[in-house]
Amino acid sequence: MGKGRAPCCAKVGLNKGSWTPEEDMRLIAYIQKYGHANWRALPKQAGLLRCGKSCRLRWINYLRPDLKRGNFTAEEEETIIKLHAMLGNKWSKIASCLPGRTDNEIKNVWNTHLKKRVSPAGGEERGADGSKKKKKKAAAGGGAEEPLPSPSQSSSTTTTTNCSSGDDSGEQQSNTSKEEPDDDELDLENLDMMPMLDDPAFGFDMLVDPVPPAPYGPAVSVSVSAPTSPCASSTSPPPAPACAPPGVDDHLLVLTEIDIDHELWSIIDGDGGASACTVAAAEAPAPAPASCCQLSNAEPPSGGANTTSHGAEEGKEWWLEDLERELGLWGPVEDYQYPTGPHGLVADHPDPLPAMVDDPVSCYFQAGPASAMLQEPGYSAAAVTSSNQMGL
DNA sequence: AATTCGATCAACCGCTCACCG
DNA sequence: TCGGTGAGCGGTTGATCGAAT
């Protein structure tokens, strides 16, 4: 750490802030095709002006196909409360027990809803000294020694009081987060309160030690089932699709080169400028202007495996629909004309980027999963969205 | 109708961990 | 064994939206 290592995002020329649809598309397409064996190299290879960290976050928290969107169910909330009582702010561990939910999401939900519910004092905490912003400043000024929401807080003041190690774990959580071993001594008496524990596949060590890092790894093969649902609750998400979204295997968006200033990546990389973007892009398979159906031959740029596992068919629709909705694309379309090639397939479209530039998201969905799905028996054309409906 | 305020959530930052040479 | 590097985690911030005034 320290050691003079510059923050990854402090690099010159990298985008920050909200992601654009095009960036999303590039990231999705790249990961679907090559996985994410190396986050640091990924943005460069995918032609994204983002740091790897940012890409990773975006993928994990927003673009991952197995994400469950929408409000938390009561059961999920209960699970969070109980797990938090036992684990404290171990959001990633809590998230591992809530399939389709991210640590960030859970953290937000906890801080905005559950904390108050569990510990009304926590709500007052914020209101007591005014707005949350004021509170932050006050804390920064050194006044507030307000401990973070800790297991002790929740366990000592709420319904989840039977976490025997409440006080201790609370202290550890807020003061010595490093004392993992103790934190992980969970109160087994709580186990029967947790819905996901009914799952025979559940092992408590899953909480203590995160699920085998089955990252969406170099291979998209990382099946969705692995990362997020070691202790699948009964409120399981829609049929878990494989990491690769519907139809992606066969209809990947062709990533095209972004014309980034050659020196930019040199600066970013600090590697002496040998890796101009276009060069990298040329080396990286991503930009290959080939057909969308070339996936099976694709070689990960950095040796990552590309196993693009096929998700369950039934998993395709929900993921696609969800993401489309998320991006404002969802809706019936009546008059969209696919860019058809000689064979009437999008894959024949020689260069999707031109369209993508205007409308990257719709282009992606029409050229990718959605169109692929169209070719599947039983899939309704109504699922295809019209770029006219984009609010972009 | 305009303004204020609070809630929400995506994204960033800094740190630690784990792996590899 | 040690140091460097990348990944991951948890805390925090800031933009946005909706409700209240």
Side-chain angles (χ1 to χ4, degrees):
Chain A
M1 32 209 121
K3 306 197 176 175
R5 188 176 164 191
C8 69
C9 294
K11 291 171 179 173
V12 191
L14 292 186
N15 292 340
K16 290 174 71 175
S18 298
W19 280 65
T20 65
E22 181 174 357
E23 286 178 313
D24 283 343
M25 287 305 102
R26 282 188 177 276
L27 181 58
I28 291 170
Y30 184 87
I31 290 177
Q32 282 165 0
K33 196 168 184 179
Y34 305 109
H36 50 66
N38 185 342
W39 284 114
R40 194 163 185 262
L42 187 151
K44 180 178 176 179
Q45 293 166 344
L48 286 164
L49 280 174
R50 294 274 179 175
C51 69
K53 211 172 184 178
S54 182
C55 292
R56 175 185 162 273
L57 204 64
R58 182 64 175 173
W59 174 256
I60 288 179
N61 288 334
Y62 198 79
L63 299 176
R64 238 170 53 193
D66 62 321
L67 285 182
K68 184 198 265 184
R69 317 309 298 260
N71 295 333
F72 278 65
T73 64
E75 187 175 348
E76 284 176 318
E77 291 183 349
E78 275 303 301
T79 300
I80 292 171
I81 290 170
K82 289 166 185 170
L83 285 172
H84 185 271
M86 292 186 283
L87 297 167
N89 297 358
K90 305 293 183 188
W91 306 120
S92 62
K93 288 175 183 172
I94 294 173
S96 71
C97 293
L98 291 166
R101 301 299 190 181
T102 69
D103 54 354
N104 204 34
E105 195 175 14
I106 291 171
K107 183 168 58 182
N108 282 334
V109 168
W110 173 263
N111 287 329
T112 58
H113 293 116
L114 305 182
K115 183 163 68 175
K116 297 173 196 169
R117 183 195 300 179
V118 164
S119 173
E124 293 170 9
E125 194 179 310
R126 168 178 289 181
D129 45 6
S131 70
K132 58 179 177 182
K133 290 175 184 174
K134 287 180 181 177
K135 180 194 165 193
K136 284 172 187 170
K137 291 185 178 178
E145 277 279 321
E146 210 52 63
L148 295 170
S150 65
S152 65
Q153 266 187 328
S154 52
S155 63
S156 64
T157 59
T158 70
T159 57
T160 57
T161 54
N162 50 356
C163 184
S164 63
S165 59
D167 291 336
D168 290 339
S169 61
E171 288 299 317
Q172 287 162 357
Q173 176 60 32
S174 56
N175 296 334
T176 58
S177 60
K178 289 289 124 193
E179 314 283 330
E180 283 288 333
D182 290 324
D183 271 351
D184 291 332
E185 298 218 356
L186 306 173
D187 181 359
L188 297 180
E189 296 196 0
N190 279 327
L191 301 189
D192 56 353
M193 300 167 56
M194 304 169 62
M196 79 285 184
L197 296 180
D198 294 336
D199 191 324
F202 174 77
F204 213 85
D205 53 341
M206 291 173 177
L207 297 178
V208 178
D209 291 313
V211 197
Y216 276 84
V220 185
S221 65
V222 172
S223 140
V224 183
S225 55
T228 56
S229 57
C231 30
S233 75
S234 52
T235 56
S236 53
C243 177
V248 169
D249 292 12
D250 301 327
H251 302 273
L252 283 172
L253 167 68
V254 175
L255 291 175
T256 48
E257 221 171 282
I258 286 183
D259 189 17
I260 299 172
D261 184 355
H262 289 200
E263 295 191 0
L264 182 52
W265 281 116
S266 304
I267 295 170
I268 292 169
D269 286 346
D271 63 356
S275 56
C277 176
T278 51
V279 173
E283 293 170 347
S291 95
C292 296
C293 303
Q294 64 177 191
L295 174 65
S296 58
N297 296 329
E299 282 284 327
S302 55
N306 174 34
T307 56
T308 62
S309 64
H310 288 259
E313 292 296 312
E314 68 267 29
K316 293 181 176 181
E317 288 186 29
W318 80 261
W319 182 85
L320 176 67
E321 292 177 10
D322 213 26
L323 187 50
E324 285 183 341
R325 283 195 183 95
E326 195 65 28
L327 292 170
L329 292 166
W330 180 259
V333 59
E334 296 171 358
D335 55 356
Y336 180 77
Q337 299 295 319
Y338 283 94
T340 55
H343 307 297
L345 296 178
V346 175
D348 293 324
H349 196 277
D351 182 9
L353 189 58
M356 185 175 158
V357 170
D358 289 356
D359 193 352
V361 179
S362 61
C363 174
Y364 168 77
F365 285 111
Q366 284 152 2
S371 65
M373 291 165 67
L374 274 179
Q375 298 170 38
E376 294 177 20
Y379 188 77
S380 163
V384 181
T385 59
S386 165
S387 59
N388 294 336
Q389 300 188 344
M390 288 187 61
L392 302 174

